[in-house]
Amino acid sequence: MEIMEDVVIVGAGIAGLATAVALKRVGVRALVLERSEGLRATGTALTLSPNAWLALDALGVSHKLIPLYTPSPKGYVTNVSTGEVREVLYPRQVRTLHRKVLLEALAEELATDSIRFSSRLVAFQSLEQGGDASMAAVHLEDGTTIKSKVLIGCDGVHSVVARWLGLAELVHSGRSAVRGLAVFPQGHGFKQEVRFFLDESDKAGFVPLNDRELYWFFSGQGEKMSGEAEKMQRDVLEKCTEKFPSEYLDVVRHADLSSLSWAPLMFRPPWGIIFGKLSKGNVTVAGDAMHPMTPDLGNGGGASLEDAVVLGRHIGNSFINNGALIVPGDMAKAIDDYVKERRWRAAMVVTASYLSGRMQQGDKWWIKFLRDRALYKYFFGWLSRLVFVYDCGRLPAISFGAMDLSSKKD
Ligand SMILES: Cc1cc2nc3c(=O)[nH]c(=O)nc-3n(C[C@H](O)[C@H](O)[C@H](O)COP(=O)(O)OP(=O)(O)OC[C@H]3O[C@@H](n4cnc5c(N)ncnc54)[C@H](O)[C@@H]3O)c2cc1C
């Protein structure tokens, strides 16, 4: 079977769905291909900072989420090696939310036939015209071929599209993380604050999602804690029993085992983003496919939302200027402009996240010195402001004659 589409997005994660919403807002239909049978909410929850909320504003989605989640005004970092407890003040809009709720809020903005589940991209080729790829032939596992004028890889850390573009290989940070939900049917009683616990090699924390549920995580050096959920929970408890406070252990004991997941913490080196080929003709990447990062500033999802708005803006402007048409040559220019706008920002967020994590976890004397004397006093606020205080801009308002596509509902 062969299908023709204007824009194909590979992956219905945060980046893929948000990009499809951004394109819809500027009048461009995109088909999202997702290999799973439904939306995947691996990781259970995530924290979004002001830059992410501005992007969600631009996408017209934030109003659905803001009433559901209370902001966390501050956090407490306990260094269990020194006993020091440091207060960290957050900007106004820092909220932790269920991933599923975010994905559903994005997906429900799209027409039902614009997400195709059980559709794994296995290969694609560019059909070159005049030196640059102006068409992509996308091959799915079920034998379907889709020809598309624009192809956007939002297929996550192990992106097929990023590999095709020749982007730098991922680097393993040497750390991994377990994440999950804790459920207290009678209420957990914690304030709406983020709690972190650090020692020389491990980091753990939790934050309320609502009165009954908390999101918790554990991240350790080179830990291999994958496997059955019970084993992950047992391993975390064993690692933490001696050093982290009983309130953290109690949260882990209340884990909803079905929510647990383990992930090695990988990133693309910033120079691979600065010097890498982030697009070729009408093919590009967004989200983790472009800039996988360690989660130390909790911003991979936020940066993915920024990508979506910026890509939507550049494609939208080209579409509008061409009278509601996708003109391949102009689209290549729009994608190039997107890459120019995102390259340095993405590299900076990856670097800031890495540095923050490097200073928090490690047993070398200079890391201990930085963590114990300087990190939260001087650097953390500065690094997090660099990442959190950023506005990716708006989407263009569209109106083709009497038809205002921005308000058109499918
Ligand atoms: C431990 C940890 C904690 C984190 N905490 C935060 C946080 O607090 N805040 C935050 O903003 N970010 C956080 N992140 C980062 C965030 O999870 C990611 O940056 C974000 O999920 C990236 O979204 P994405 O859509 O690019 O990729 P993904 O969420 O990985 O989505 C990719 C999608 O593509 C699909 N796919 C892959 N290959 C194919 C294929 N060949 N064909 C079809 N479909 C395919 C997948 O099934 C998936 O649905 C954290 C990450 C980790 C590991």
Side-chain angles (χ1 to χ4, degrees), residues 61-247:
V61 175
S62 60
H63 68 281
K64 295 197 284 185
L65 301 168
I66 284 175
L68 305 180
Y69 296 96
T70 310
S72 300
K74 60 184 167 183
Y76 289 96
V77 185
T78 304
N79 182 336
V80 295
S81 309
T82 61
E84 186 195 15
V85 180
R86 188 164 282 279
E87 185 182 89
V88 180
L89 296 176
Y90 292 127
R92 264 190 313 129
Q93 293 276 16
V94 171
R95 287 180 165 83
T96 305
L97 56 161
H98 298 87
R99 279 181 185 255
K100 193 158 179 279
V101 173
L102 171 62
L103 293 178
E104 285 173 353
L106 291 165
E108 69 191 24
E109 296 296 310
L110 303 170
T112 41
D113 66 351
S114 59
I115 309 178
R116 193 180 147 149
F117 291 107
S118 305
S119 299
R120 177 193 289 269
L121 167 84
V122 284
F124 73 94
Q125 78 228 70
S126 62
L127 309 173
E128 306 264 332
Q129 278 180 12
D132 260 341
S134 56
M135 271 281 197
V138 173
H139 304 290
L140 305 186
E141 202 170 40
D142 66 5
T144 308
T145 295
I146 304 173
K147 284 194 178 158
S148 172
K149 294 178 189 164
V150 175
L151 175 63
I152 305 166
C154 297
D155 45 343
V157 175
H158 302 289
S159 166
V160 175
V161 183
R163 208 171 313 128
W164 180 82
L165 287 169
L167 291 184
E169 288 299 322
L170 304 182
V171 177
H172 195 317
S173 66
R175 293 180 291 138
S176 64
V178 174
R179 294 171 276 174
L181 210 62
V183 183
F184 292 73
Q186 311 307 326
H188 50 66
F190 289 105
K191 287 189 186 157
Q192 189 61 48
E193 291 163 352
V194 189
R195 304 287 303 277
F196 290 109
F197 308 99
L198 299 174
D199 81 341
E200 284 157 15
S201 57
D202 301 329
K203 182 167 94 172
F206 63 82
V207 55
L209 283 158
N210 51 42
D211 291 344
R212 291 185 312 110
E213 293 174 308
L214 297 136
Y215 168 57
W216 64 268
F217 71 89
F218 170 83
S219 134
Q221 301 277 350
E223 304 299 336
K224 292 215 174 13
M225 290 188 291
S226 51
E228 295 293 307
E230 286 89 347
K231 180 179 173 300
M232 282 191 246
Q233 184 191 36
R234 212 171 38 242
D235 286 350
V236 172
L237 287 170
E238 265 169 30
K239 293 285 297 177
C240 298
T241 298
E242 295 289 301
K243 52 188 174 189
F244 290 152
S246 58
E247 56 189 347

Side-chain angles (χ1 to χ4, degrees), residues 373-394:
R373 302 285 172 82
L375 176 62
Y376 287 98
K377 213 168 183 179
Y378 305 112
F379 293 122
F380 190 77
W382 178 69
L383 285 175
S384 51
R385 263 193 308 282
L386 269 182
V387 172
F388 296 176
V389 184
Y390 180 80
D391 185 354
C392 62
R394 314 297 295 175

Side-chain angles (χ1 to χ4, degrees), residues 11 13-15 34-35 40 47 99 121 155 179 288 295 298 300-302:
I14 298 171
E34 170 55 49
R35 66 182 172 189
R40 283 176 70 245
T47 299
R99 279 181 185 255
L121 167 84
D155 45 343
R179 294 171 276 174
D288 276 8

Side-chain angles (χ1 to χ4, degrees), residues 37 55 67 92 118 129 144 183 198 253 261-262 271 282 289 298 330 338:
E37 287 168 10
R92 264 190 313 129
S118 305
Q129 278 180 12
T144 308
V183 183
L198 299 174
R253 283 193 199 101
S261 64
W262 172 87
W271 50 91
N282 295 352
D330 286 5
Y338 152 74

Side-chain angles (χ1 to χ4, degrees), residues 165 167-168 268-280 284-285 290-291 293 303 306-307 310 314 335-351 390:
L165 287 169
L167 291 184
R268 198 179 307 291
W271 50 91
I273 299 172
I274 294 168
F275 300 112
K277 204 163 175 49
L278 302 178
S279 68
K280 185 174 178 222
T284 191
V285 277
M290 184 200 279
H291 45 62
M293 64 186 78
E306 293 174 11
D307 292 341
V310 176
H314 288 292
I335 287 175
D336 195 43
D337 289 343
Y338 152 74
V339 164
K340 281 190 188 126
E341 188 170 337
R342 293 305 294 158
R343 193 186 288 283
W344 286 95
R345 165 79 181 156
M348 187 277 284
V349 179
V350 171
T351 309
Y390 180 80

